[in-house]
Amino acid sequence: MSPGPVRGATPNRRLGSVRGVSVLSPPGRRARPSAPETSRLSSAAREELRRRLLGLIEGHRVVIFSKSYCPHSARVKELFSSLGVECNILELDQVDNGASVQEVLSEITHQNTVPNIFVNKVHVGGCDRTFQAHQSGLLQKLLQEDPAYDYDLIVIGGGSGGLACAQEAAVLGRKVMVLDFVAPSPQGTSWGLGGTCVNVGCVPKKLMHQAALLGQALTDSRRFGWEFSQQVKHNWGTLTEAVQTHVGSLNWGCRLSLREKAVAYVNAHGEFVEHHKVKATNGKGQKTCYTAAKFVIATGERPRYLGIQGDKEYCITSDDLFSLPYCPGATLVVGASYVALECAGFLAGLGLEVTVMVRSVLLRGFDQEMAERLGSSLERLGVRFLRKFVPVAVLQLEKGSPGRLKVVARSTEGPETVEGVYNTVLLAIGRDSCTKGIGLEKIGVKINEKNGRIPVNDMEQTTVPYVYAVGDVLEGKPQLTPVAMQAGKLLARRLFGGRLEKCDYVNVPTVVFTPLEYGCCGLSEERAAQEYQRENLEVYHTVFWPLEWTVACRDNNACYAKIICNKLDNERVIGFHILGPNAGEITQGFAAAMKCGLTKRLLDDTVGIHPTCAEVFTTLEITKSSGLDIMQKGC
């Protein structure tokens, strides 16, 4: 039984294996014998094992560390059986790495023998001490002292990952609370339940992306025979009103879903004040404390500022753009992240003058050939790139909606400075994790001090056994909504449903929703060369011309596709990349194929659907190593 007010719940009786950490057998069953251990644990593995053991002790009512042949262990098991108490038994002689488990356990308890018994997280001791506790009545008292927490689980953060975890835990019969609070941006923007994706990320971004595509479709339509005489113009107010109406409906849907699953939702800022206890502060400053057996940190990230004169006073971020009450006009986008390029793309697609100021490279961490091709597609749309410059000051020239701002920028390669005047400056230089100010240091949860992200093990467990984390706050994991949702759902199932499945962070597909979309799955060419050596790779590539673009007379060399194959593994596809229309829809299907071990031969054996863009991957012939030209000549 897990700590908390819920009774009669079936416990999770298995401790997943990592680096030889044992499997916990259900009561009355023995683990299968395993090979004897052959090596001592490294310091990192020892710390990981210690964390797992503490989590096991933390999460179960009675834990007996035993050996199957030990008569003293048998006596203790019989005692608890006679009391009708369900126990979780770890047979150290019949599990992998049992000696190391016992060694780490002795460090925790200062007891070198078995049985080693814990009741409601209290170390009772061995056989003699357990029987003494039984005779004195102490054991019965300990068994009754199942901590009366307010909740089985409190999730701090109401974004996609946190909500997925909370709702799944509630479906599994647990008492769950969600604490969510959005601090207004420096420009005063705030929003409702649902996190970044719903309010200021994926959803409004995709809708504005669609608005830009419709503008291009209007231009193309004349070539397809559509005639219209009236002047076509875009109304920013109409767009933002429609977008915010839809976002509002999603906010309500999130709240309704929590209500239907009996998840308590409190619009308040959560902060740990001591172990198993958080203080919730609402917008009026009212404070309430809650306790829980387990916690999940899902606080996400917020846009980073430059730390220069005028940045917070006059600049906006993606937090503000999608509900901006006026058309941004001539816009300077600072940054080269996917957020920066997506925003630059749809603003240009709406007919605005857009400049992108880039400190170093486009789309750091993505395939750089694809990034440069994407940049070229934006330039053809009219976006101007100012490379190797960073802003040093933002000055207001005129107030207004929009006003006029002067930006002073300095070269990253020398003393040169430039100035420019814009109506709006949009910062998209990265994001900072929202892990400061929530009391993690008070309970010992470690974070990366440089970026605020939380290191976790493969079970999303932090350095404190009863605290877990999902979503963008994780160190070294993909920062994507579907990843957070999957991780949150699987975490709840492991904690409360007796399941073992872990989130797979390998080969996660993603798409940059610029006007010409870029989809990818697996490794970039640079990363593949590092991991497999370039001589072991074969890269198949081509440009392609969508049929829809032919009549519209659009560029016949803009769209590009490539796959990166490992020659030493039957030409298995380890990198998939496409720049073209509907790249998101295309990439999703091929991502599933890559999970199944997609090879070049399987692609060749697949019959393409004609005429589509996706079929280009079934006919790839030219390799980079051949040196053959892939560019199309003529129209």
Side-chain angles (χ1 to χ4, degrees):
M1 179 182 293
S2 65
V6 175
R7 300 293 189 268
T10 301
N12 179 357
R13 302 187 183 105
R14 296 183 68 87
L15 181 65
S17 174
V18 167
R19 295 184 183 176
V21 178
S22 315
V23 174
L24 182 65
S25 300
R29 300 182 187 176
R30 291 184 176 180
R32 296 178 180 177
S34 60
E37 75 174 303
T38 58
S39 63
R40 294 179 62 84
L41 292 176
S42 66
S43 59
R46 177 182 295 273
E47 181 60 31
E48 175 68 13
L49 179 53
R50 179 185 177 88
R51 186 191 307 182
R52 289 294 178 84
L53 290 176
L54 291 174
L56 176 64
I57 295 164
E58 180 77 33
H60 297 89
R61 187 185 185 196
V62 177
V63 179
I64 300 175
F65 295 93
S66 169
K67 290 183 179 177
S68 60
Y69 55 79
C70 174
H72 303 292
S73 298
R75 287 186 63 205
V76 168
K77 295 172 197 173
E78 290 171 2
L79 172 63
F80 282 103
S81 178
S82 69
L83 296 174
V85 175
E86 189 175 37
C87 302
N88 295 273
I89 304 166
L90 191 66
E91 303 287 9
L92 300 185
D93 60 315
Q94 294 187 345
V95 294
D96 294 339
N97 222 4
S100 294
V101 172
Q102 187 166 1
E103 184 179 342
V104 174
L105 188 63
S106 69
E107 296 174 358
I108 297 172
T109 65
H110 303 290
Q111 176 184 325
N112 298 320
T113 59
V114 294
N116 204 335
I117 298 102
F118 288 82
V119 177
N120 280 327
K121 302 189 293 296
V122 175
H123 181 229
V124 177
C127 179
D128 291 343
R129 291 186 60 183
T130 301
F131 274 89
Q132 290 170 5
H134 175 54
Q135 292 168 3
S136 68
L138 176 60
L139 182 61
Q140 288 81 351
K141 183 179 180 181
L142 288 173
L143 287 169
Q144 292 170 1
E145 288 182 352
D146 195 2
Y149 296 122
D150 298 326
Y151 293 89
D152 295 308
L153 174 69
I154 290 179
V155 177
I156 303 177
S160 302
L163 293 180
C165 184
Q167 292 179 83
E168 188 70 15
V171 168
L172 293 169
R174 299 303 170 138
K175 187 178 180 183
V176 184
M177 169 180 277
V178 171
L179 296 174
D180 184 62
F181 183 80
V182 178
S185 74
Q187 297 299 325
T189 309
S190 60
W191 49 86
L193 186 64
T196 296
C197 174
V198 166
N199 293 281
V200 290
C202 320
V203 172
K205 176 268 303 289
K206 183 74 182 295
L207 292 174
M208 291 197 170
H209 168 64
Q210 174 65 8
L213 294 183
L214 290 173
Q216 180 63 58
L218 281 170
T219 302
D220 291 349
S221 68
R222 294 184 184 275
R223 295 275 186 173
F224 286 86
W226 288 94
E227 298 178 358
F228 43 91
S229 56
Q230 67 270 32
Q231 181 182 1
V232 178
K233 61 179 182 178
H234 184 265
N235 187 302
W236 176 266
T238 301
L239 172 62
T240 54
E241 181 180 357
V243 168
Q244 290 307 308
T245 297
H246 180 65
V247 167
S249 72
L250 296 180
N251 295 148
W252 171 246
C254 290
R255 297 188 67 166
L256 184 62
S257 183
L258 291 181
R259 185 182 304 171
E260 290 174 345
K261 294 177 176 62
V263 176
Y265 163 59
V266 178
N267 182 207
H269 175 265
E271 178 185 356
F272 285 97
V273 292
E274 59 184 66
H275 281 288
H276 292 281
K277 187 175 184 179
V278 291
K279 175 178 64 179
T281 306
N282 65 19
K284 297 180 180 180
Q286 298 169 333
K287 297 176 173 58
T288 308
C289 288
Y290 303 97
T291 61
K294 293 178 173 63
F295 291 82
V296 171
I297 308 301
T299 47
E301 296 187 319
R302 296 291 291 271
R304 183 178 304 145
Y305 283 80
L306 290 163
I308 63 172
Q309 177 185 351
D311 62 345
K312 291 186 177 181
E313 294 86 351
Y314 307 124
C315 300
I316 67 169
T317 69
S318 56
D319 280 358
D320 312 294
L321 178 63
F322 303 110
S323 58
L324 199 67
Y326 53 83
C327 179
T331 302
L332 172 67
V333 179
V334 181
S337 64
Y338 71 89
V339 174
L341 299 187
E342 286 175 338
C343 292
F346 70 67
L347 290 175
L350 297 178
L352 302 181
E353 180 184 320
V354 179
T355 302
V356 177
M357 186 177 291
V358 182
R359 179 176 62 88
S360 55
V361 299
L362 303 181
L363 294 178
R364 183 177 301 279
F366 286 81
D367 187 284
Q368 283 303 290
E369 178 186 25
M370 302 302 298
E372 287 302 319
R373 286 180 176 272
L374 187 153
S376 297
S377 74
L378 289 174
E379 287 181 319
R380 287 191 292 271
L381 190 63
V383 175
R384 172 176 173 254
F385 282 91
L386 188 58
R387 294 192 180 235
K388 305 295 183 181
F389 278 90
V390 292
V392 293
V394 180
L395 309 171
Q396 187 180 61
L397 299 180
E398 292 180 13
K399 294 182 179 181
S401 301
R404 292 177 68 241
L405 302 171
K406 182 171 77 171
V407 177
V408 181
R410 183 184 65 244
S411 171
T412 61
E413 298 180 324
E416 181 186 1
T417 61
V418 296
E419 295 182 357
V421 177
Y422 309 93
N423 298 119
T424 299
V425 177
L426 172 67
L427 303 182
I429 57 172
R431 300 172 68 81
D432 292 320
S433 294
C434 300
T435 53
K436 302 291 178 67
I438 61 174
L440 296 181
E441 70 284 353
K442 296 176 184 175
I443 59 170
V445 174
K446 293 181 180 178
I447 66 172
N448 183 325
E449 294 298 335
K450 292 183 179 179
N451 55 30
R453 294 179 187 148
I454 303 174
V456 296
N457 60 17
D458 62 345
M459 309 287 277
E460 284 81 44
Q461 188 179 40
T462 72
T463 50
V464 174
Y466 64 87
V467 179
Y468 300 79
V470 296
D472 289 357
V473 296
L474 296 188
E475 177 79 61
K477 298 293 191 292
Q479 296 177 307
L480 299 166
T481 295
V483 174
M485 295 175 66
Q486 179 85 331
K489 180 174 63 176
L490 294 179
L491 173 59
R493 290 177 181 176
R494 290 196 307 274
L495 293 178
F496 305 117
R499 301 282 289 274
L500 297 175
E501 295 88 348
K502 295 178 286 189
C503 185
D504 185 357
Y505 293 99
V506 178
N507 284 345
V508 174
T510 190
V511 170
V512 181
F513 284 104
T514 39
L516 192 58
E517 297 177 9
Y518 166 36
C520 61
C521 184
L523 302 179
S524 65
E525 211 172 323
E526 295 83 3
R527 182 70 179 275
Q530 290 176 1
E531 291 195 17
Y532 295 96
Q533 306 304 315
R534 188 164 294 278
E535 62 269 20
N536 297 323
L537 304 177
E538 195 71 89
V539 179
Y540 295 85
H541 68 149
T542 188
V543 295
F544 62 95
W545 198 15
L547 179 64
E548 298 84 352
W549 285 25
T550 56
V551 172
C553 291
R554 295 174 67 179
D555 193 336
N556 64 341
N557 283 308
C559 300
Y560 178 71
K562 76 173 175 181
I563 57 172
I564 304 162
C565 301
N566 180 6
K567 292 193 290 187
L568 302 182
D569 188 14
N570 196 31
E571 286 204 314
R572 181 170 60 89
V573 178
I574 58 175
F576 173 95
H577 301 269
I578 180 169
L579 182 67
N582 304 305
E585 308 297 337
I586 295 170
T587 304
Q588 183 68 80
F590 283 101
M594 288 181 66
K595 286 284 187 185
C596 299
L598 180 67
T599 64
K600 178 62 167 63
R601 176 64 183 272
L602 287 172
L603 283 173
D604 292 342
D605 291 345
T606 300
V607 176
I609 301 173
H610 185 73
T612 64
C613 294
E615 70 174 317
V616 69
F617 288 99
T618 68
T619 59
L620 290 172
E621 295 180 349
I622 299 176
T623 64
K624 282 194 172 183
S625 59
S626 72
L628 296 176
D629 186 12
I630 60 171
M631 302 301 285
Q632 299 187 46
K633 308 297 191 297
C635 182

